[in-house]
Amino acid sequence: MNNKPILDVNQIPNPAQWLTLSLQHLFAMFGATILVPYLVGLSPAIALISSGLGTLAFLMITKWQVPAYLGSSFAFIAPVIAAKATAGPGGAMIGSFLAGLVYGIVALIISKAGHRWIMNLLPPIVVGPVIIVIGLALAGTAVNMAMNNPAGEYSLIHFSAALVTLAATIICTIYMRGILSIIPILAGIVVGYLYSFAIGIVDFKPVLEASWFEMPEFIIPFVSYEVKVTWDLALLMVPVAIVTLSEHIGHQLVLSKVVGRDYIKEPGLHRSILGDGTATIISALIGGPPKTTYGENIGVLAITRVYSVYVIAGAAVLATIFGFIGKITALISTIPTPVMGGVSILLFGIIASSGLRMLVDSKVDFGNNRNLVISSVILVIGIGGAFIKVTDSFQIQGMAFAAIAGVLLHLILPGKEPVNEDMLEQTVEKDKHKTA
């Protein structure tokens, strides 16, 4: 890989370059970052603001050495929806806060005991099937969004918008080169939106009525909701950190290869994990979805060879500003549901397929009954929605149950092999989304 930098990590671009390059990173993360809150019923504006603030916090914690952008995490979609259903938006924020605390605890342990233990705790045979579950468990959601009109009934006109969006996203993913290959989600949404406008299912009225500056409706603890920590919330959200932590490690390995520095050692995996967790906590405190490092932005770094953390910081500042522009927020709200459904069909499928690719790239042997048992149990428990209900306030559901079961089986069953530290590198090197 030719990773000789055009702008190195601590080099400051001139003002014109700075704005252009930062906008490029903003566009790379934009589609996925606003899609998550759209799917779970949170504010896209707050998602943008929290991604900007979270990224700035990450850069500070990693001593301005790691050029990574943090956006909305897809791994938490189903848990956030479930938490909102049981305890409202405040409950989802409490669960996200707890997941962020797990990052802090893991970072503390790594700083004292090193990082090999977590690499061995989360091998591909556990993480791969859990990632597959994340994608396939959301398949029904994507299809219903694509096929139905606002009344929840099948509509061929609305479905056509989803199919056009899906086709545009696929074309950008497969055939486009350069920056367009990094922003297929955003490009697909734009094409789908234009098609939807042409067939008359877009209402511009909210955009015309919105003011340029608008304060988002932040969800603040003790102000917007009563803070009440329950086992239900903890068990819904915290186990998902198993997946996002492994995603984080993979991204750091790939980023190290792209930039030509060993980020696992300096500034250290504990710092980057702490930065990721801090971003999630910041997001939870203002009403945004959990955060994760973005493979799309790593792709931008690899293509442009501009590694400057100041460019990433510029994108974070722009994202924060965009969150307060009412016209932009209103425009996002006018995107028809089938357009998001069309994008989601591909995106959720790619999430599931990336879990399968992890198993293939890691050469997991399914002739080994141990591997067959672990993956089978995770898949059926997760996709089937199995849960353990001890009391009304103590349940382990779906994906959380699947992740816990996978880790326990890996630790208990005989024949466990040591894991290569580069186990996730190939899996996320070409990652165009977030499962985390």
Side-chain angles (χ1 to χ4, degrees):
M1 177 180 294
N2 178 16
N3 60 359
K4 183 178 180 180
I6 293 175
L7 279 175
D8 210 349
V9 173
N10 294 119
Q11 287 184 291
I12 302 175
N14 65 51
Q17 284 181 321
W18 201 339
L19 178 62
T20 304
L21 295 169
S22 292
L23 280 171
Q24 190 169 240
H25 276 282
L26 180 71
F27 291 147
M29 69 84 188
F30 196 88
T33 291
I34 65 168
L35 180 58
V36 173
Y38 190 99
L39 293 172
V40 302
L42 295 174
S43 166
I46 297 176
L48 287 172
I49 294 168
S50 59
S51 77
L53 297 178
T55 298
L56 291 173
F58 177 89
L59 293 174
M60 287 187 283
I61 290 171
T62 55
K63 302 191 291 187
W64 299 93
Q65 295 182 24
V66 183
Y69 194 93
L70 283 76
S72 305
S73 170
F74 280 86
F76 284 93
I77 290 175
V80 167
I81 292 173
K84 282 188 65 185
T86 58
M93 296 305 105
I94 293 170
S96 298
F97 185 89
L98 295 175
L101 288 181
V102 170
Y103 276 78
I105 294 169
V106 170
L108 179 62
I109 296 173
I110 290 175
S111 70
K112 302 297 182 183
H115 61 266
R116 286 197 60 84
W117 65 273
I118 193 169
M119 310 289 273
N120 282 279
L121 185 67
L122 302 173
I125 189 55
V126 172
V127 177
V130 172
I131 292 175
I132 294 173
V133 167
I134 290 171
L136 295 185
L138 295 166
T141 299
V143 170
N144 288 332
M145 289 173 62
M147 294 196 309
N148 298 335
N149 61 21
E153 301 169 342
Y154 175 81
S155 168
L156 182 58
I157 291 177
H158 287 77
F159 196 18
S160 71
L163 294 177
V164 168
T165 304
L166 175 61
T169 309
I170 291 172
I171 289 170
C172 288
T173 302
I174 300 297
Y175 296 107
M176 296 300 176
R177 294 292 179 266
I179 189 62
L180 281 177
S181 68
I182 301 297
I183 58 169
I185 298 170
L186 180 61
I189 290 174
V190 170
V191 172
Y193 190 88
L194 293 174
Y195 175 81
S196 298
F197 176 73
I199 63 175
I201 61 173
V202 175
D203 180 12
F204 264 125
K205 189 176 179 181
V207 180
L208 299 175
E209 294 177 346
S211 57
W212 280 102
F213 177 82
E214 196 169 288
M215 183 64 69
E217 295 183 6
F218 293 104
I219 303 174
I220 309 296
F222 301 107
V223 176
S224 306
Y225 59 92
E226 178 186 356
V227 176
K228 185 178 180 182
V229 179
T230 66
W231 281 108
D232 257 3
L233 293 175
L235 293 173
L236 270 173
M237 304 287 284
V238 168
V240 183
I242 292 173
V243 182
T244 52
L245 279 167
S246 59
E247 178 187 41
H248 177 93
I249 294 168
H251 282 173
Q252 291 306 297
L253 288 169
V254 174
L255 194 57
S256 296
K257 183 176 181 181
V258 168
V259 179
R261 304 184 181 205
D262 189 350
Y263 286 129
I264 301 297
K265 294 181 179 179
E266 181 59 37
L269 186 61
H270 62 291
R271 280 188 174 273
S272 62
I273 286 177
L274 179 61
D276 204 334
T278 301
T280 293
I281 289 174
I282 290 172
S283 188
L285 291 176
I286 63 175
K291 296 293 177 277
T292 185
T293 49
Y294 260 22
E296 292 93 328
N297 294 89
I298 296 175
V300 172
L301 293 172
I303 288 174
T304 63
R305 289 185 286 128
V306 173
Y307 310 140
S308 172
V309 292
Y310 297 100
V311 170
I312 300 293
V317 171
L318 290 173
T320 305
I321 293 171
F322 272 33
F324 289 99
I325 300 176
K327 295 284 188 185
I328 291 178
T329 304
L331 184 64
I332 293 171
S333 71
T334 64
I335 300 173
T337 299
V339 171
M340 291 303 199
V343 170
S344 298
I345 288 174
L346 178 62
L347 195 59
F348 296 162
I350 289 177
I351 291 172
S353 298
S354 69
L356 181 61
R357 189 180 69 203
M358 174 180 285
L359 297 172
V360 173
D361 289 345
S362 303
K363 297 181 174 60
V364 173
D365 179 14
F366 281 98
N368 183 329
N369 285 338
R370 181 182 191 275
N371 294 333
L372 197 62
V373 166
I374 294 173
S375 60
S376 299
V377 170
I378 292 173
L379 291 172
V380 173
I381 287 177
I383 297 172
F387 61 90
I388 295 177
K389 183 175 181 179
V390 181
T391 66
D392 288 339
S393 60
F394 188 90
Q395 299 183 39
I396 306 176
Q397 300 185 19
M399 189 192 307
F401 185 15
I404 293 171
V407 170
L408 290 177
L409 286 172
H410 170 65
L411 294 175
I412 293 170
L413 295 179
K416 180 161 65 91
E417 297 180 359
V419 176
N420 187 326
E421 290 191 15
D422 291 335
M423 65 179 182
L424 297 174
E425 183 169 331
Q426 293 180 358
T427 302
V428 295
E429 186 164 354
K430 297 178 182 178
D431 196 6
K432 301 288 185 184
H433 63 276
K434 312 269 160 303
T435 61

